[in-house]
Amino acid sequence: MSALSPGTATTTPERGFSALSDRHSRILVLLGKRLIQIPMVLFVVSIMTFWLVQLVPGDPGRNALGPYATQAQVHAWDVSNGLTGPVVARYLRWLGGFCTGNWGTSFVYLVPCRGLVLGHLVNSMLLGLYGFVLMVPLSIALGSVQAYREGRRSDRAITISLMSLSSVPEFVVGVLLLVVFAAWLKMVPVQSSADATGDLPQRLHAMTLPAVVLAIAYLAVLSRMVRTGTAGAITAQFHRTAVLKGLPPAQIVRRHVTRNALIPTMQLLGLYLGALLGGNAVVETLFNYPGLGALLVVAAEHKDVVLLTDAVMVTGVVSLLALLLTDVCLILMDPRIRFENTES
């Protein structure tokens, strides 16, 4: 399932209430199709995830009981936790529990997986939204400056800087920022877990450095997309018409250029939003932030089958809902979009 493509758009003659009603009906049709597609995609994801988890090296019983437990004790523990028997039977048992809200108990934390996963998901969503809020305005500003100064030194300098920055791995950027702002300047805490459960100012203070790392990771590509869209918008006929009418430059950029430039970028924004909200294992582990990505790492290390499968499924749900939100926003932003009867 992917976001709609503006390339299939056609100009529409409808105006007024008829166009508004038609737009609303198309949104409802889209929501209906996606609500059918999302469970199908999640079903395939659940099968693949459950099967791949079985291939992860390690024995959950051995990890839970320690190296000094006998093989009989390990086998008894596996039986009591439903880790024996055919894979299909275990998958169906897990799927039934997941769909009914019984997500099982974590082998590592010894608490119900549902509250554990959803609690870490909230932390990841807050961090992802913070990074998204930092990334989008900055990428729009940089891309617009590049488009209006295309071919000049400033355009080349921004392009080289962003590409160089994006080539550096996230953990390297995070370590450098920790050294400068946490160890040297002492402006932020070294570990973000200390203030991640406090009030809003404390949480923002703890999440600032991880959010900056997340924003930097996607900034170069998104700015390049905005630059391309803005460059196409300022050479279009509607832009020349607005200039000839004598409209203020700020109004032209805000009401005409930015909106049309962001239409091709919406697909990428949807993918990035899903990736940010679903948690980032590298950044969350580096900053010791209690998010869903860090929880996935712990579950994979200890082969916590139930917790790992539940967390992956929740991540899939978040990503698919982000794509659905992208489709709806694309319809609202681009009135030219039409759906064909053959669309899958």
Side-chain angles (χ1 to χ4, degrees):
M1 188 179 76
S2 62
L4 298 172
S5 173
T8 59
T10 57
T11 305
T12 175
E14 288 90 347
R15 292 292 185 271
F17 290 104
S18 61
L20 184 62
S21 176
D22 185 51
R23 182 88 60 83
H24 288 168
S25 65
R26 292 197 303 277
I27 293 178
L28 293 178
V29 171
L30 170 67
L31 290 175
K33 289 182 178 180
R34 294 299 186 253
L35 290 178
I36 296 175
Q37 293 173 347
I38 287 176
M40 297 173 60
V41 174
L42 290 175
F43 178 68
V44 176
V45 170
S46 67
I47 294 176
M48 296 299 297
T49 301
F50 198 86
W51 177 70
L52 291 174
V53 166
Q54 311 305 315
L55 303 179
V56 176
D59 188 342
R62 179 63 63 185
N63 293 333
L65 299 179
Y68 300 105
T70 63
Q71 189 61 36
Q73 291 173 328
V74 172
H75 179 72
W77 189 93
D78 290 340
V79 171
S80 64
N81 287 276
L83 298 179
T84 57
V87 176
V88 176
R90 283 186 282 140
Y91 167 74
L92 293 177
R93 185 166 57 248
W94 167 83
L95 182 62
F98 186 84
C99 294
T100 56
N102 181 17
W103 293 9
T105 302
S106 170
F107 305 153
V108 178
Y109 297 96
L110 302 178
V111 295
C113 291
R114 182 178 177 181
L116 186 64
V117 171
L118 294 181
H120 283 72
L121 174 64
V122 171
N123 292 334
S124 289
M125 293 182 71
L126 291 174
L127 178 61
L129 285 175
Y130 194 4
F132 193 77
V133 169
L134 294 177
M135 174 186 67
V136 173
L138 184 58
S139 61
I140 292 175
L142 292 175
S144 301
V145 169
Q146 288 183 272
Y148 276 98
R149 302 184 64 83
E150 186 176 6
R152 301 183 184 180
R153 292 182 179 179
S154 56
D155 177 28
R156 292 193 293 269
I158 294 175
T159 300
I160 293 174
S161 300
L162 289 177
M163 291 302 174
S164 301
L165 193 60
S166 65
S167 64
V168 182
E170 294 177 349
F171 68 90
V172 176
V173 176
V175 169
L176 293 176
L177 293 180
L178 278 174
V179 170
V180 175
F181 293 99
W184 183 29
L185 298 179
K186 302 186 183 303
M187 296 175 59
V188 294
V190 176
Q191 294 187 353
S192 300
S193 61
D195 300 322
T197 57
D199 55 15
L200 183 58
Q202 290 177 331
R203 292 178 74 100
L204 291 176
H205 183 67
M207 292 189 300
T208 296
L209 216 55
V212 170
V213 177
L214 290 176
I216 290 175
Y218 301 106
L219 186 61
V221 178
L222 192 58
S223 299
R224 192 69 179 178
M225 288 290 295
V226 174
R227 178 187 183 277
T228 303
T230 304
I234 61 180
T235 57
Q237 182 64 41
F238 68 84
H239 182 267
R240 290 193 291 269
T241 302
V243 173
L244 292 175
K245 282 184 176 180
L247 296 179
Q251 183 178 352
I252 295 175
V253 173
R254 184 178 65 255
R255 298 185 58 182
H256 300 282
V257 175
T258 302
R259 180 174 180 177
N260 287 275
L262 285 180
I263 290 175
T265 315
M266 286 302 299
Q267 295 182 14
L268 195 62
L269 282 174
L271 293 174
Y272 286 172
L273 180 62
L276 288 172
L277 296 182
N280 187 293
V282 175
V283 174
E284 291 177 0
T285 303
L286 176 63
F287 290 92
N288 195 25
Y289 183 79
L292 192 58
L295 187 66
L296 280 168
V297 173
V298 175
E301 287 178 347
H302 296 84
K303 201 177 181 181
D304 193 335
V305 179
V306 178
L307 179 60
L308 183 59
T309 311
D310 292 342
V312 171
M313 286 297 295
V314 170
T315 303
V317 171
V318 172
S319 300
L320 292 174
L321 291 180
L323 289 177
L324 176 61
L325 178 62
T326 303
D327 286 343
V328 174
C329 291
L330 192 56
I331 299 171
L332 298 176
M333 290 182 62
D334 190 355
R336 303 168 299 170
I337 289 182
R338 284 291 179 266
F339 300 101
E340 299 179 0
N341 295 330
T342 59
E343 179 188 345
S344 58

